[in-house]
Amino acid sequence: MKTLHVEIVTPDGPILTEDYEMVSVTATSGELGILPNHIPLVAPLAISVVRLKNGNDTKHVAVTGGFVEMSHNELTILATAAETEEDIDVRRAQRAKERAEKRLQSQQDTVDFHRAELALKRALNRLDIS
Ligand code: ATP
């Protein structure tokens, strides 16, 4: 089976370097399924789950935005943060979700609602795959 080489990199270092038969990512413009030898591509990513497939196995990685680049059968994901399902601290994500929900419900002028919305999306995304 043909594969493509995948690297997921964050400011803290590489999260994953492996070969896969198919990868699906959610760009800000929509979902993209990427197979080996896909044409060159650069796209911004949504806060979303990257799905990496080999046969019947699927690995899930939560990413908090960033970029995907495909070139010469190498798929690189540069993300501000990324966690594989086994690295997600569920209690931390649950606490982040509750904090963000409280901020969004508060009537205070000092709350940055956009920031709270993004924090809620990150927490829900992590809870989604854990
Ligand atoms: P929190 O408020 O809990 O810090 P956050 O969404 O603000 O959540 P980020 O800024 O996205 O956190 O990430 C900061 C760092 O913490 C990154 O290295 C990220 O991988 C890690 N991280 C955040 N939440 C979790 C989690 N629930 N499990 C594991 N790692 C996490």
Side-chain angles (χ1 to χ4, degrees), residues 32-94:
L32 295 169
I34 301 170
L35 292 166
N37 298 312
H38 192 286
I39 54 165
L41 151 97
V42 178
L45 289 174
I47 295 170
S48 58
V49 176
V50 176
R51 292 182 175 76
L52 304 134
K53 294 184 188 171
N54 266 335
N56 291 328
D57 289 343
T58 303
K59 192 177 185 105
H60 299 88
V61 180
V63 295
T64 63
F67 284 89
V68 59
E69 184 198 14
M70 177 76 185
S71 175
H72 298 101
N73 208 37
E74 301 243 342
L75 184 87
T76 307
I77 292 176
L78 297 170
T80 42
E83 304 91 35
T84 58
E85 45 215 311
E86 57 272 18
D87 285 339
I88 290 180
D89 178 339
V90 177
R91 290 186 58 210
R92 177 174 170 178
Q94 191 64 41

